[in-house]
Amino acid sequence: MAPFRINATKQSFVNFKGDCLIIPLYSDAKTLPDRLRELDERHNNIISGSLRSDEFSANPSQTFVLNLPPDSPLRKIILCGIGSSKDLKSEGLRKSIASAARQSEKLGGKIGIALPVSDNLKPEVIAGIALEGFILAVYKFERYKSNNKGSKKSQLKAITILSPDAGNLKSIDSSLRKAEAICDAVWFGRDIINSPANAFNTQSFVTEARKLSKRAKVKAEIIGKEELKKLGMNAILGVAQGSAQPPKLIALEYKGGKAGKAPLVLVGKGVVFDSGGLSLKQPLKMLEMKQDMGGAGVILSAFRAIIELGIKINMVALIPTVENMPSGTAYRPGDIIKTHSGITVEVLNTDAEGRLILADALSYARKYKPQAVIDVATLTGGIKIALGRVGCGVFSPDDSLAEIILGASENTGEKAWRFPLWDEFDRMIESNMADIKNSAGPEGSSITAAKFLGRFTTDYKWAHIDIANVDYASSDEELFRKGATGFGIRLLINLIENWKQ
Ligand code: BES
Ligand code: MN
Ligand code: ZN
C-alpha cells in the first residue's frame, strides 16, 4: 500500500500550499491557459516565462523544475510536457506525470497535481491516469536496505489532485480510489517478484493464497506432493524433483459473479527459481531467475485487485509452483514424462521447465469447465529476441480472445503483440520417442513453446501471454525502476473488468 494520503479538491491552483505542484502543459499552447494565470502572476510570470524560453517545450515527458522564493507557500513547481492538445494520449499523460513524480519524490512532503483539461478525456479519467502514473513511478524495493528508515525527512506524505475547473469531485474521487487499488496490486506484485528466491519460495505462494482466502467469496485449494502424485501431475513433480522445496498447485476461486456461471481461469507460471536444472544456465542468464514466478505474481496481484474492487465475475487463479534445480534427484534430459492429460513428453532440455508445469495446470483447468483460460508466463528467452523489452507476446488460436487481450493492452498502455500459430510449427515439437518434446531449439522458440501449451488446451478457449521480456527491467524507465515492473497486472485487471460473463 502506497504510504501516503491521496485526496482530490476543487481549490484553485494559486491557493495550494505544499512542497511541490506538478503542472502538465500542452506543447502547442501558445499562451498559458486561464486557469494558470493567477498562479503565474503570483510568481512573477515564472510559468509563462518558462514556456516562452527554449529550455522547456512541453514535449511528452519533458520536465522543468521551478524554484520559488523561500517565503512562498509553495516550494517548487514542476512543469511537465504532455504533447499536443488535439489528442491527449493516456499513456503520454501517465508517463509525463511519472517523470514529474520522480523529480518531486526527492522533495517529499505534500505534492499537488494540477489536472489538465482535455477535449477527448474526461476529468475523472485524467485524474485516475495521473495518479496511476505518480504511484507507479515512485515505487522502490528497499526492504533489504539497512538504512532505509534514514530518509524519513524526504518521504512523500500526501498527494492532492487539483481540479478547480472541470469534473465532478465525487466521480474524480471514485476514479482515484480505483487507481489506488490497481496500483496497490502492482506494488504487491513487484514486491513478490523482486523478493529473492531465499525469501520467496513455493510455500510463500501458499501463504499468500491462504491470506486471500480469508476474503469473502474466496476459497483456496492447495494441492501438495502426495495429491499431485495421485492426480498424475508428473510434469510438475518431475520439474520439482531436483529441489528441496516441495511443489504445490494452488487453486484460488473467487465467486463474485452469478452462481453457476462458468469461470474465467488464469494460470501463472510460478517457478520460484530457475537454475535450468541439469541443463544448467550460464551464470549471467541465471542471475535474474528469481523472477521466473512473474506470471504467478501477475495473476495473484490481478486476482487481489479484482476482489478489492468487487468485480462481479467468477474466476479461478491456478498457480503451479516449483523450484528448478540440478541435483542427484533432478529430472534428466532424455526422461519421458506422462503428464496429467495423458500426453507423454520427452525432456530434451530441463531448462524448458515452464511449459511442463503449465501443461499439468492447463490440463487440470478443464475441471472448471472454463469460459476461457489465459496463462501468463516468463516462458521464453526468445520473446526478448523478437520484441525487445517493449511489449509482451500474445498467442491464441481464438481471434476474439486475442482481440480482448490486445484491447486491454491498448487501454492500459502495456504493449502486446500477437504471434502466429501456423501449423508448420506443430511438426517442430514432435518427438520420436514420446508424443511431443519440450524443446524445439532456438528458431521461433516462443511460438513452439506456445504450440506445446496448445496441446493441453484443446477443450476450451485459450490464450497465452509470454512476459519473459517485460516483467523485469534492466534499467529505470518512467513507470518503473530496474527490477520487477508488474507488467500485465493492470492489463489483466482491465480485461477482467470489461469481461462479459
Ligand atoms: N525462465 C526461462 C525463460 C526466461 C528467459 C525468462 C529470460 C526470463 C528471462 C525459461 O524457463 C527458459 O529457460 N526457457 C528456455 C527454453 C529453452 C531451453 C528451450 C529459453 O527460452 O531459452
Ligand atoms: Mn528454464
Ligand atoms: Zn523458466
Side-chain angles (χ1 to χ4, degrees), residues 269 274-276 281 289 292 324 350-354 379:
K269 170 176 171 183
D274 181 12
S275 69
K281 284 184 186 292
M289 283 304 137
D292 212 20
N324 187 20
T350 62
D351 197 10
E353 84 299 339
L379 201 64

Side-chain angles (χ1 to χ4, degrees), residues 279 332-335 346-351 431 437-440:
S279 314
R332 294 147 290 243
D335 281 3
E346 183 183 9
V347 177
L348 291 204
N349 191 320
T350 62
D351 197 10
S431 152
K437 58 189 183 193
N438 79 330
S439 163

